[in-house]
Protein backbone atom coordinates (compact mmCIF):
# COMPACT_ATOMS: atom_id res chain seq x y z
CA UNK A 1 0.00 0.00 0.00
CA UNK A 2 1.21 3.51 -0.85
CA UNK A 3 2.49 5.83 1.84
CA UNK A 4 0.99 9.19 2.68
CA UNK A 5 2.40 12.47 3.98
CA UNK A 6 0.40 14.83 6.15
CA UNK A 7 1.27 17.96 8.14
CA UNK A 8 1.87 17.20 11.78
CA UNK A 9 -0.62 19.69 13.12
CA UNK A 10 -3.13 22.34 12.12
CA UNK A 11 -5.35 24.84 13.89
CA UNK A 12 -8.76 25.97 12.80
CA UNK A 13 -11.23 28.50 14.18
CA UNK A 14 -14.58 27.16 15.27
CA UNK A 15 -17.18 27.58 12.54
CA UNK A 16 -14.64 27.90 9.79
CA UNK A 17 -13.76 25.30 7.21
CA UNK A 18 -10.88 22.98 8.02
CA UNK A 19 -8.85 21.88 5.02
CA UNK A 20 -6.54 18.95 5.71
CA UNK A 21 -4.08 18.05 2.95
CA UNK A 22 -2.56 14.68 2.18
CA UNK A 23 0.13 13.73 -0.31
CA UNK A 24 0.11 10.25 -1.80
CA UNK A 25 2.36 10.61 -4.82
CA UNK A 26 3.00 6.87 -5.18
CA UNK A 27 -0.65 5.87 -5.19
CA UNK A 28 -1.52 3.05 -7.57
CA UNK A 29 -4.42 3.08 -9.98
CA UNK A 30 -6.49 0.65 -7.91
CA UNK A 31 -5.89 2.28 -4.54
CA UNK A 32 -8.56 4.30 -2.80
CA UNK A 33 -8.02 7.29 -0.52
CA UNK A 34 -9.56 6.86 2.93
CA UNK A 35 -9.84 9.32 5.77
CA UNK A 36 -10.30 8.39 9.41
CA UNK A 37 -10.08 10.39 12.58
CA UNK A 38 -9.25 9.43 16.12
CA UNK A 39 -10.46 11.35 19.10
CA UNK A 40 -8.32 10.89 22.17
CA UNK A 41 -8.42 7.36 23.63
CA UNK A 42 -11.04 6.14 21.17
CA UNK A 43 -10.94 3.91 18.12
CA UNK A 44 -10.60 5.53 14.68
CA UNK A 45 -13.79 6.73 13.05
CA UNK A 46 -14.37 6.40 9.32
CA UNK A 47 -15.00 9.74 7.60
CA UNK A 48 -14.98 9.34 3.84
CA UNK A 49 -13.24 7.64 0.96
CA UNK A 50 -12.85 8.02 -2.80
CA UNK A 51 -11.06 6.72 -5.86
CA UNK A 52 -10.77 9.64 -8.26
CA UNK A 53 -13.97 11.66 -8.08
CA UNK A 54 -14.67 14.19 -5.39
CA UNK A 55 -16.93 12.86 -2.67
CA UNK A 56 -19.21 14.43 -0.09
CA UNK A 57 -21.14 13.03 2.82
CA UNK A 58 -22.73 14.37 5.97
CA UNK A 59 -19.38 14.69 7.69
CA UNK A 60 -16.98 16.02 5.09
CA UNK A 61 -15.91 16.49 1.51
CA UNK A 62 -12.99 14.83 -0.18
CA UNK A 63 -11.22 16.56 -3.04
CA UNK A 64 -8.80 14.39 -5.04
CA UNK A 65 -6.51 16.01 -7.59
CA UNK A 66 -6.75 14.89 -11.18
CA UNK A 67 -3.40 13.08 -11.03
CA UNK A 68 -4.53 11.52 -7.71
CA UNK A 69 -1.23 12.36 -6.08
CA UNK A 70 -2.83 14.42 -3.37
CA UNK A 71 -6.16 15.02 -1.70
CA UNK A 72 -7.81 17.40 0.74
CA UNK A 73 -10.34 16.60 3.41
CA UNK A 74 -12.70 19.48 4.07
CA UNK A 75 -14.74 19.86 7.24
CA UNK A 76 -17.06 22.68 6.17
CA UNK A 77 -17.93 24.09 9.57
CA UNK A 78 -15.49 22.85 12.20
CA UNK A 79 -16.67 22.47 15.78
CA UNK A 80 -14.72 21.90 18.97
CA UNK A 81 -15.71 18.23 18.78
CA UNK A 82 -13.80 17.90 15.52
CA UNK A 83 -10.53 18.23 17.42
CA UNK A 84 -8.80 14.92 16.69
CA UNK A 85 -5.97 13.23 14.81
CA UNK A 86 -6.90 12.82 11.15
CA UNK A 87 -5.39 10.00 9.15
CA UNK A 88 -5.18 9.76 5.39
CA UNK A 89 -4.72 6.21 4.14
CA UNK A 90 -4.48 4.69 0.70
CA UNK A 91 -5.29 1.08 0.10
CA UNK A 92 -6.74 -1.32 -2.41
CA UNK A 93 -10.36 -2.27 -2.23
CA UNK A 94 -9.86 -6.02 -2.07
CA UNK A 95 -9.39 -8.70 0.52
CA UNK A 96 -5.68 -7.93 0.40
CA UNK A 97 -6.20 -4.30 1.33
CA UNK A 98 -5.26 -3.23 4.84
CA UNK A 99 -5.13 0.18 6.43
CA UNK A 100 -1.62 1.25 7.36
CA UNK A 101 -1.60 4.37 9.49
CA UNK A 102 0.94 7.15 9.23
CA UNK A 103 1.36 9.85 11.83
CA UNK A 104 -1.72 11.82 10.80
CA UNK A 105 -2.56 15.48 11.36
CA UNK A 106 -3.57 16.73 14.77
CA UNK A 107 -6.36 19.21 14.13
CA UNK A 108 -7.15 21.59 16.95
CA UNK A 109 -10.34 23.57 16.61
CA UNK A 110 -10.20 26.72 18.69
CA UNK A 111 -13.09 28.83 19.94
CA UNK B 1 -22.49 2.59 10.00
CA UNK B 2 -21.58 -0.86 11.26
CA UNK B 3 -20.64 -1.33 14.90
CA UNK B 4 -17.59 -3.08 16.30
CA UNK B 5 -17.30 -3.71 20.01
CA UNK B 6 -14.39 -4.72 22.18
CA UNK B 7 -14.31 -6.29 25.59
CA UNK B 8 -12.95 -5.42 28.03
CA UNK B 9 -12.44 -1.69 27.56
CA UNK B 10 -9.75 -1.65 30.23
CA UNK B 11 -7.75 -4.41 31.85
CA UNK B 12 -4.99 -4.43 34.41
CA UNK B 13 -3.03 -7.61 34.96
CA UNK B 14 0.09 -8.86 36.65
CA UNK B 15 3.25 -9.56 34.75
CA UNK B 16 3.37 -13.14 33.46
CA UNK B 17 -0.36 -13.61 33.12
CA UNK B 18 -2.33 -13.93 29.89
CA UNK B 19 -5.06 -11.57 28.81
CA UNK B 20 -7.79 -12.16 26.23
CA UNK B 21 -9.43 -9.32 24.32
CA UNK B 22 -12.61 -9.90 22.34
CA UNK B 23 -13.66 -8.08 19.20
CA UNK B 24 -17.18 -8.45 17.86
CA UNK B 25 -18.94 -7.12 14.79
CA UNK B 26 -22.43 -6.46 16.12
CA UNK B 27 -24.56 -5.96 13.04
CA UNK B 28 -22.58 -7.36 10.16
CA UNK B 29 -20.47 -10.34 9.21
CA UNK B 30 -16.78 -9.61 9.19
CA UNK B 31 -14.76 -11.57 6.68
CA UNK B 32 -11.54 -9.91 7.79
CA UNK B 33 -10.48 -8.56 11.14
CA UNK B 34 -7.41 -6.54 11.96
CA UNK B 35 -5.59 -5.98 15.23
CA UNK B 36 -3.66 -2.80 15.93
CA UNK B 37 -1.56 -1.59 18.83
CA UNK B 38 -1.07 2.04 19.76
CA UNK B 39 1.47 3.38 22.23
CA UNK B 40 1.01 6.83 23.80
CA UNK B 41 1.41 9.71 21.34
CA UNK B 42 2.05 7.30 18.49
CA UNK B 43 0.05 6.12 15.52
CA UNK B 44 -1.70 2.80 15.16
CA UNK B 45 0.55 -0.08 14.25
CA UNK B 46 -0.97 -3.07 12.46
CA UNK B 47 -0.17 -6.29 14.26
CA UNK B 48 -2.03 -8.91 12.29
CA UNK B 49 -4.80 -9.66 9.84
CA UNK B 50 -7.18 -12.56 10.26
CA UNK B 51 -9.73 -14.07 7.95
CA UNK B 52 -12.54 -16.18 9.30
CA UNK B 53 -11.51 -19.80 9.59
CA UNK B 54 -7.91 -19.14 8.63
CA UNK B 55 -4.70 -18.55 10.50
CA UNK B 56 -3.79 -14.96 11.12
CA UNK B 57 -1.11 -13.21 9.10
CA UNK B 58 1.27 -11.30 11.35
CA UNK B 59 3.19 -8.18 10.46
CA UNK B 60 6.95 -8.26 10.57
CA UNK B 61 8.28 -8.05 14.09
CA UNK B 62 5.08 -9.21 15.78
CA UNK B 63 5.51 -12.47 17.69
CA UNK B 64 2.74 -14.85 16.74
CA UNK B 65 3.32 -17.05 19.78
CA UNK B 66 2.93 -14.09 22.09
CA UNK B 67 -0.09 -12.53 20.43
CA UNK B 68 -2.51 -15.35 19.70
CA UNK B 69 -5.34 -14.48 17.35
CA UNK B 70 -8.42 -16.57 16.81
CA UNK B 71 -11.10 -15.67 14.26
CA UNK B 72 -13.49 -18.54 14.77
CA UNK B 73 -16.65 -16.95 13.44
CA UNK B 74 -17.80 -14.13 11.19
CA UNK B 75 -18.59 -11.96 14.19
CA UNK B 76 -15.85 -12.71 16.71
CA UNK B 77 -12.08 -12.44 16.84
CA UNK B 78 -9.95 -12.72 19.95
CA UNK B 79 -6.45 -11.51 20.75
CA UNK B 80 -4.66 -13.21 23.62
CA UNK B 81 -1.54 -11.57 24.99
CA UNK B 82 0.36 -14.45 26.54
CA UNK B 83 2.77 -14.00 29.43
CA UNK B 84 2.21 -10.27 29.40
CA UNK B 85 4.97 -7.92 30.50
CA UNK B 86 4.94 -4.19 31.24
CA UNK B 87 6.21 -3.39 27.74
CA UNK B 88 3.02 -4.95 26.37
CA UNK B 89 1.02 -2.20 28.03
CA UNK B 90 -0.72 -0.43 25.20
CA UNK B 91 -4.02 0.47 23.54
CA UNK B 92 -5.22 -2.46 21.44
CA UNK B 93 -7.72 -1.73 18.69
CA UNK B 94 -9.51 -4.17 16.45
CA UNK B 95 -11.07 -3.46 13.11
CA UNK B 96 -13.48 -5.40 10.93
CA UNK B 97 -14.31 -5.38 7.26
CA UNK B 98 -17.73 -6.48 6.17
CA UNK B 99 -18.98 -9.10 3.78
CA UNK B 100 -21.90 -7.15 2.36
CA UNK B 101 -21.28 -5.13 -0.79
CA UNK B 102 -22.13 -1.75 0.63
CA UNK B 103 -19.82 -2.37 3.58
CA UNK B 104 -17.05 -4.07 1.67
CA UNK B 105 -15.00 -0.95 1.06
CA UNK B 106 -15.07 0.19 4.63
CA UNK B 107 -13.08 -0.86 7.67
CA UNK B 108 -14.81 -0.28 10.98
CA UNK B 109 -12.90 0.13 14.20
CA UNK B 110 -13.66 -0.90 17.73
CA UNK B 111 -13.36 1.48 20.69
CA UNK B 112 -10.08 -0.04 21.84
CA UNK B 113 -8.87 -1.89 24.93
CA UNK B 114 -6.42 -0.29 27.33
CA UNK B 115 -4.05 -2.94 28.70
CA UNK B 116 -1.87 -2.16 31.68
CA UNK B 117 0.60 -4.79 32.84
CA UNK B 118 1.99 -4.27 36.32
Amino acid sequence: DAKTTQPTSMDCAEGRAANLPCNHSTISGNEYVYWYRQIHSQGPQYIIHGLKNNETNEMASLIITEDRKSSTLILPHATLRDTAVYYCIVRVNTNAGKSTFGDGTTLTVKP
Amino acid sequence: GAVVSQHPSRVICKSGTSVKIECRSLDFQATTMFWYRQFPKQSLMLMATSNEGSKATYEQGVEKDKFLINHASLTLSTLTVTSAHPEDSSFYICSARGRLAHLYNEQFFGPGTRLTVL
Side-chain angles (χ1 to χ4, degrees):
Chain A
D1 293 328
K3 291 185 177 179
T4 62
T5 304
Q6 299 177 251
T8 302
S9 63
M10 293 181 64
D11 290 343
C12 176
E14 187 178 19
R16 304 296 293 269
N19 297 295
L20 292 90
C22 179
N23 286 323
H24 31 80
S25 59
T26 60
I27 191 170
S28 300
N30 61 346
E31 289 182 315
Y32 286 70
V33 180
Y34 286 79
W35 283 85
Y36 294 87
R37 72 179 182 185
Q38 186 180 27
I39 296 170
H40 183 62
S41 293
Q42 297 181 25
Q45 177 190 20
Y46 166 82
I47 301 173
I48 199 168
H49 77 278
L51 182 61
K52 54 183 178 181
N53 297 324
N54 297 337
E55 303 288 344
T56 295
N57 63 20
E58 64 277 5
M59 288 183 68
S61 294
L62 173 61
I63 308 298
I64 303 174
T65 58
E66 193 169 341
D67 62 8
R68 302 209 323 124
K69 293 185 176 182
S70 65
S71 61
T72 301
L73 177 74
I74 301 172
L75 307 178
H77 306 286
T79 70
L80 299 179
R81 287 183 291 183
D82 291 322
T83 293
V85 180
Y86 287 76
Y87 295 99
C88 167
I89 293 165
V90 292
R91 66 171 174 88
V92 295
N93 180 24
T94 67
N95 264 336
K98 54 189 179 183
S99 295
T100 301
F101 288 77
D103 293 331
T105 296
T106 299
L107 175 68
T108 303
V109 180
K110 298 185 174 181
Chain B
V3 179
V4 177
S5 70
Q6 285 185 239
H7 177 80
S9 57
R10 289 179 176 271
V11 58
I12 300 173
C13 70
K14 293 182 179 179
S15 185
T17 60
S18 294
V19 174
K20 180 184 284 188
I21 302 170
E22 291 187 350
C23 175
R24 294 182 184 273
S25 56
L26 297 186
D27 51 2
F28 68 102
Q29 292 181 322
T31 52
T32 306
M33 284 190 172
F34 306 86
W35 285 95
Y36 293 82
R37 180 168 54 180
Q38 186 176 33
F39 293 109
K41 298 190 183 300
Q42 294 186 21
S43 186
L44 285 77
M45 184 190 77
L46 180 64
M47 300 175 67
T49 303
S50 72
N51 295 301
E52 184 259 342
S54 302
K55 288 185 177 180
T57 301
Y58 290 81
E59 296 297 307
Q60 192 172 9
V62 178
E63 300 174 59
K64 62 179 182 180
D65 294 330
K66 181 168 183 62
F67 299 99
L68 302 178
I69 292 172
N70 184 284
H71 189 170
S73 77
L74 285 171
T75 60
L76 173 65
S77 176
T78 60
L79 168 68
T80 301
V81 183
T82 62
S83 186
H85 292 285
E87 58 265 29
D88 298 322
S89 298
S90 189
F91 192 49
Y92 291 87
I93 304 169
C94 75
S95 176
R97 192 156 66 205
R99 159 175 280 183
L100 298 178
H102 72 284
L103 294 176
Y104 192 73
N105 292 348
E106 300 180 25
Q107 191 174 330
F108 300 95
F109 288 83
T113 296
R114 178 76 58 192
L115 170 63
T116 302
V117 184
L118 303 177

